[in-house]
Amino acid sequence: MFWFTLEFGVVWEGDELRAYGAGLLSSYGEIQEFRQAEIRPFDIGAMGTLDYDITRYQPVLFAAPSFGQMVADLGRFFDTYERSHT
């Protein structure tokens, strides 16, 4: 999940796809290539199980419908996770 949010996170802002992940924003190559990636809907379960290769441009990214929705979804997930793992 960390990989597809903090590192390679993208979000819809209206009809425009925007990058917010540090791995995208800090790499000239990644920021040029991210619009060529397969954009999937934001799905915490899928993000947590998809294999990724750190040595290549990311072929799959998960786009949240909005930044606020992404924060809310992650908050709910971690609230549930913390309660079930304490």
Side-chain angles (χ1 to χ4, degrees), residues 6-83:
L6 293 177
E7 286 296 323
F8 288 89
V10 294
V11 63
W12 290 107
E13 188 175 273
D15 292 337
E16 185 73 25
L17 188 62
R18 305 284 184 168
Y20 69 87
L24 288 170
L25 297 176
S26 66
S27 168
Y28 180 80
E30 287 285 1
I31 201 70
Q32 294 298 314
E33 293 292 321
F34 92 97
R35 294 188 189 278
Q36 310 310 314
E38 176 187 345
I39 305 301
R40 296 183 184 174
F42 192 79
D43 181 328
I44 292 172
M47 291 177 351
T49 59
L50 183 68
D51 288 332
Y52 55 88
D53 182 349
I54 65 170
T55 67
R56 300 185 182 275
Y57 294 133
Q58 297 307 297
V60 175
L61 299 171
F62 293 89
S66 70
F67 198 80
Q69 186 66 51
M70 181 267 304
V71 169
D73 289 350
L74 286 173
R76 280 190 298 276
F77 171 79
F78 285 116
D79 283 347
T80 301
Y81 182 84
E82 287 174 5
R83 276 187 248 124

